[in-house]
Amino acid sequence: MTLVACTCPHCGGEVKMEDTLATGFCTYCGRQIINDKAIVGDIKVKMDRTSEVVNILRLAKYSMYDGDLYGAQALLGKAMQMDADNADVWYMDAVFDKKNAKNDIIRAKSLKSYDVFTEEDMNSYKTLTRSGGQGLFITCTIITFFSIFFSVPFAIIFEKFYLIPIIMFCGMLLTVLSAVNMMRLKKKNIPIPSPRNEMDDEMRQAIKDELRKQ
C-alpha cells in the first residue's frame, strides 16, 4: 500500500489516500474527492475532469469580465494544470501573455475546444490591461506637476513669463488625454459571459472520448 497526495477541488486541502482507492473523503471539508492517482491492479486510472476544467474556465472568464485579471490568471493556471490539451486555455493565455500570443493561437487552433473561451472571446478581451491606463495617467500627472513647479522659477529668473501658461496648457492637455484614455480602457466593450456558453452534448462527449484515449 502506498499513500498518494490528492488535492481537494472544493477547499484546496491536501489529503493522503491509498493508491488503490479511486475515491475518498476530504479530511478538511468532508466532501467526496476523486483520486486521480489511483492504481487498480497494474492499470493507472485516469479520471475524467472535464466538468471541473469547464467550471474553472467559466470562473476565469467571469473574473476577466469583472476586471479581476490576477484572479483570472490564477484560475487559468489551475485549468492548465488539469488539462492543457484544449484550445480554451491557450486562447485565454494569449490575452495575458501578449509576447507569446501568436504561438498560443497556433497551438489553440490544433486542439479541441470546450467552447467556453473561443477565438472570438480572445479578440474581445485582448485589449484588457491590468492597469487600465492608470499608469499612464499617473505618469502624465507627475510630469505636469514638476513641469509647472520648475517652470515658474525658471520663467522668473530669465523673465520668460510667457512660458508659464504654455507649459501649464501642455501639461493639462497631456493629463486630460491620459484620463480620457483611461476611461476608454475601462469602458466594457465585451459581451456579458453567458452561463449557457458551453459546448453541446455531442461535442462534450467527443472530447471525453478523446481524453480517455490519451
Side-chain angles (χ1 to χ4, degrees):
M1 179 188 71
T2 303
L3 293 178
V4 293
C6 301
T7 302
C8 175
H10 307 289
C11 69
E14 187 176 279
V15 183
K16 298 289 186 179
M17 295 178 59
E18 296 180 16
D19 61 357
T20 56
L21 297 177
T23 61
F25 293 90
C26 177
T27 55
Y28 299 96
C29 66
R31 297 185 183 182
Q32 188 177 34
I33 59 176
I34 296 173
N35 181 8
D36 56 0
K37 300 176 183 177
I39 299 177
V40 179
D42 295 327
I43 302 175
K44 186 172 181 179
V45 179
K46 184 168 184 176
M47 310 307 296
D48 180 16
R49 308 185 73 178
T50 300
S51 60
E52 290 182 66
V53 176
V54 168
N55 286 334
I56 292 173
L57 285 169
R58 288 176 60 192
L59 287 173
K61 187 175 180 179
Y62 294 147
S63 296
M64 291 175 69
Y65 181 80
D66 292 335
D68 181 13
L69 301 191
Y70 290 104
Q73 196 164 15
L75 289 167
L76 172 61
K78 186 175 181 179
M80 276 187 167
Q81 289 179 349
M82 295 172 65
D83 178 17
D85 294 325
N86 69 83
D88 303 57
V89 294
W90 296 109
Y91 280 134
M92 192 175 289
D93 188 65
V95 174
F96 295 109
D97 189 7
K98 290 181 171 53
K99 185 179 295 184
N100 297 312
K102 186 176 180 180
N103 292 332
D104 287 342
I105 295 171
I106 294 174
R107 186 180 293 112
K109 289 182 181 297
S110 66
L111 299 170
K112 291 182 178 295
S113 173
Y114 290 130
D115 201 29
V116 176
F117 199 88
T118 63
E119 185 175 7
E120 183 179 349
D121 291 315
M122 179 197 67
N123 292 328
S124 297
Y125 284 83
K126 66 182 180 181
T127 57
L128 289 178
T129 61
R130 288 184 174 82
S131 65
Q134 294 177 8
L136 177 61
F137 175 74
I138 293 173
T139 301
C140 291
T141 302
I142 293 174
I143 292 175
T144 300
F145 173 78
F146 282 104
S147 297
I148 296 174
F149 180 80
F150 287 110
S151 66
V152 173
F154 178 85
I156 293 174
I157 293 173
F158 295 97
E159 297 183 352
K160 305 288 185 181
F161 300 105
Y162 64 89
L163 292 177
I164 297 177
I166 295 176
I167 293 176
M168 289 181 64
F169 174 79
C170 293
M172 292 177 65
L173 180 62
L174 186 64
T175 303
V176 169
L177 290 176
S178 63
V180 171
N181 179 65
M182 182 175 65
M183 295 299 293
R184 181 183 63 81
L185 289 175
K186 283 188 174 182
K187 182 179 180 181
K188 291 180 177 176
N189 57 353
I190 51 180
I192 299 175
S194 169
R196 302 299 301 172
N197 184 19
E198 299 179 12
M199 57 188 173
D200 56 33
D201 293 338
E202 184 178 348
M203 184 176 290
R204 182 186 294 278
Q205 189 59 48
I207 291 179
K208 286 184 178 181
D209 294 341
E210 185 70 22
L211 290 173
R212 291 194 185 99
K213 294 177 182 178
Q214 297 176 359

